[in-house]
Structure formats: C-alpha cells, structure tokens
Amino acid sequence: MPPHSAEHSPSTRPALNVLLAAPRGFCAGVDRAIQIVELALAKFGSPVYVRHEIVHNRYVVESLKAKGAVFVEELDEIPETDQPVIFSAHGVPKSVPQAAKSRNLFAIDATCPLVFKVHMEASRLHAEGRKILLIGHAGHPEVEGTTGQLPAGAVTLIQTAADAEAFAAEDPSRLAYVTQTTLSVDDTAGIVAVLKRRFPAIVGPHKEDICYATTNRQAAVKAIAGKVGLVIVVGAPNSSNSLRLVEVAERAGCPKAVLIQRAADLPWDAFEGVSAVGVTAGASAPETLVDEVLEALRQRFEVSIEQVTTANERIAFNVPRELREPAA
C-alpha cells in the first residue's frame, strides 16, 4: 500500500508479514541452568559464583548479575568462600570439579544433562580402548568440557568434512565419534558420512548427540526460510546454536539471515523491498528479547504474525538435589 504521507501513521505503515518459528528460544538445559543460579541465590543469598557465562546470552548474564551472581572465567578468581560455585550449562573438563574439591568449594554443576550424556559416552567409548573423534568447534566451552573428560591426546577434534577426509587413523578398527550438541544437523550428517565411508568399523553414539532443541530449532527455520526475504535470529555471537540457525536459514533458501542480540541491532536497511520476515531465537535467548523485536517491527510496519510450529517440546530437567531441599 503506497504511503499517503511521509509520516507513518498507523494506516500508512508498510505491511510486513512475520513468520515466527516454533520451537524457538530457551531449551530445557538453558532453563534449568538459569533456574539453578536463581534458586542458589534464593537459598544461599549472594554472592553466588558462576564459572563462565551460565548460558551464552548477555541479557541473561546481566539479569543474573543484577540479582547477585558473580561471573568468573576460572576458579582461581574466586576468593575462599562457603558460597555456591556453579559450573555452566556447557559442561566443564574433569579438572574443574577436581580443583573445586581440592579447595573445598561448594560446587553445583549446571551442565546440561544432554551434554553430560556426551561426556558419559566419550568416557565409555574410551574405556573400550577406542580413539575418540569429537565433531565440534574449536574453542567452544562444550568442546573443551568434553575433551577434558579424557586424558590428553585421547580426543581428536574434527571440525569439517575436510578434517574427516584428512584424518589418519592408527587403528581404524578402534575408532568412535561423539559430537557437540549444538551443531548443524546437515553438516554433521555430512561429516559422519565421510567418517563411515573411510572407517566402516567406526562406532557412533547410541542416540544422536545433537540435542533435540538444536534439531527442532533448525527444522523450524527450514520451514520458514523459503517463504521470507529475511530471517532474524535473536541470539549471541558466541552462541553456537544461534550461529547455526543463520547458516541453516541461508542454505534453506532465504536470501539473507542476520544474528542480532537485541531489537536495537535490527538492520533496517535489510528490510528494503522485503514483505515477509522470519523470526527465531537461539536456545539461550529469552522470549522477552523476541517480544522486544516484534514490538520494534510494529513501530515501523503494519505487522501480521503467523506462528509456524514444526514440533512441540515438553522436556524439562530436574535441578540438582542441593537446591531441591529447603534451607536448614
């Protein structure tokens, strides 16, 4: 509809159709990790120390800081204390709980149960005498946590199909692979296919390591990508699952996909000539930030919203026992 005047009065704002991907946003592991910090603060008061960002989202971290959480990168930044020390949802190398124990720190582990499953799997396969290939991204805390479950040199990181082609096995009959939980489903399938072709005896996890939430969020983006001119992913630049959603959107036929942290980051020039946009959020992004983006769109456009649901999630994880018992 052509504008009747230069001002965007409600009747003259350009129309914009928003396809809202579902599922999006928080997964059960993120939900649980945030709950662990909040329950620890409620039960033990502040400060509650958290090693590494509890989940990869600045808004979440800042809100927990405001409630009394103190974030550190390493345990040696924590003074002698009886207050809780929480490990992030991404999981930690074995050396971290050991260091906490040697200092008698009161540690609470917020590792996502699905990441913990990968740790157990890697340990089991290693105990069978197998060389472990970990499909994942170098430097990601989850990869560091999984690698750190086993002795140095027991795990080889495979980041790409090219890495899988180049890997030289000492004993092809004693190989196994596990994966980071937040990878691209399609990329990972490609890497696994190369490994299985080259090493037919390789053993994989009993059940796929990529978590249900990563898989579901990618499927939801695929369902909308071909119908819109722009996909907006709400998430953090260091969030692996959010970055994957941008890639999945572009590969599934969307001309342009962008990752933003908040509504203030919306790239308005990218809306030029676009009549439909897709909106989703990574597994560590709260729904508040999605609402903020929709509100910003309503300020400029006559917005109609259609939710596109590809799965219903009803998964929830229990919090650790220390936080379930009432305070003495």
Side-chain angles (χ1 to χ4, degrees):
M1 189 170 66
H4 300 296
S5 69
E7 286 134 44
H8 278 343
S9 67
S11 60
T12 62
R13 284 190 296 221
L16 184 68
N17 187 23
V18 175
L19 298 187
L20 199 50
R24 64 179 175 276
F26 279 1
C27 60
V30 162
D31 229 357
R32 171 180 180 268
I34 294 167
Q35 224 186 325
I36 285 172
V37 180
E38 289 176 336
L39 288 170
L41 284 164
K43 186 168 173 178
F44 302 104
S46 69
V48 163
Y49 295 94
V50 185
R51 183 190 176 277
H52 191 70
E53 289 187 346
I54 185 73
V55 298
H56 283 155
N57 188 276
R58 190 189 298 161
Y59 176 88
V60 170
V61 168
E62 293 303 328
S63 354
L64 292 172
K65 271 185 189 168
K67 294 176 186 175
V70 175
F71 289 84
V72 297
E73 278 307 305
E74 296 300 343
L75 296 185
D76 55 21
E77 297 167 51
I78 300 172
E80 291 311 313
T81 181
D82 296 330
Q83 288 294 101
V85 176
I86 297 173
F87 305 145
S88 84
H90 310 101
V92 292
K94 269 190 172 162
S95 56
V96 173
Q98 286 163 358
K101 197 173 178 186
S102 72
R103 284 184 55 192
N104 291 321
L105 293 173
F106 170 28
I108 299 175
D109 194 349
T111 299
C112 170
L114 299 176
V115 173
F116 183 68
K117 175 182 93 72
V118 178
H119 290 184
M120 298 307 289
E121 221 150 45
S123 302
R124 177 181 63 80
L125 292 163
H126 175 70
E128 291 174 3
R130 296 180 186 277
K131 168 79 182 165
I132 309 294
L133 303 184
L134 169 57
I135 302 171
H137 298 291
H140 190 277
E142 189 188 319
V143 162
E144 290 173 356
T146 301
T147 305
Q149 299 308 302
L150 301 177
V155 177
T156 296
L157 184 63
I158 303 285
Q159 299 193 71
T160 60
D163 288 354
E165 289 287 5
F167 174 73
E170 280 171 35
D171 182 352
S173 68
R174 313 293 298 159
L175 284 181
Y177 72 89
V178 294
T179 85
Q180 191 177 329
T181 61
T182 54
L183 300 176
S184 152
V185 175
D186 296 340
D187 281 357
T188 306
I191 294 170
V192 169
V194 171
L195 291 174
K196 286 184 170 169
R197 174 177 53 68
R198 293 194 60 220
F199 310 110
I202 195 167
V203 173
H206 288 316
K207 190 173 167 296
E208 174 118 56
D209 285 334
I210 296 177
C211 79
Y212 77 93
T214 298
T215 305
N216 288 351
R217 277 150 195 68
Q218 289 179 20
V221 164
K222 283 180 185 172
I224 61 173
K227 303 172 184 168
V228 295
L230 171 68
V231 167
I232 294 156
V233 179
V234 180
N238 60 341
S239 158
S240 170
N241 78 81
S242 304
L243 292 166
R244 301 295 79 76
L245 291 174
V246 174
E247 295 169 1
V248 166
E250 289 177 337
R251 287 186 195 167
C254 184
K256 184 160 195 207
V258 293
L259 179 67
I260 64 168
Q261 300 202 61
R262 303 287 300 259
D265 308 325
L266 278 163
W268 295 112
D269 52 345
F271 286 79
E272 202 62 49
V274 170
S275 59
V277 302
V279 175
T280 187
S284 39
E287 188 62 12
T288 324
L289 300 186
V290 175
D291 294 340
E292 185 186 277
V293 166
L294 296 177
E295 195 40 54
L297 295 178
R298 286 192 191 98
Q299 304 290 323
R300 294 185 180 231
F301 298 98
E302 200 52 47
V303 170
S304 61
I305 295 178
E306 181 193 337
Q307 177 150 291
V308 178
T309 306
T310 52
N312 290 301
E313 294 178 349
R314 295 190 181 80
I315 293 176
F317 297 129
N318 286 331
V319 297
R321 198 175 291 109
E322 305 94 312
L323 298 173
R324 278 180 266 163
E325 298 153 0

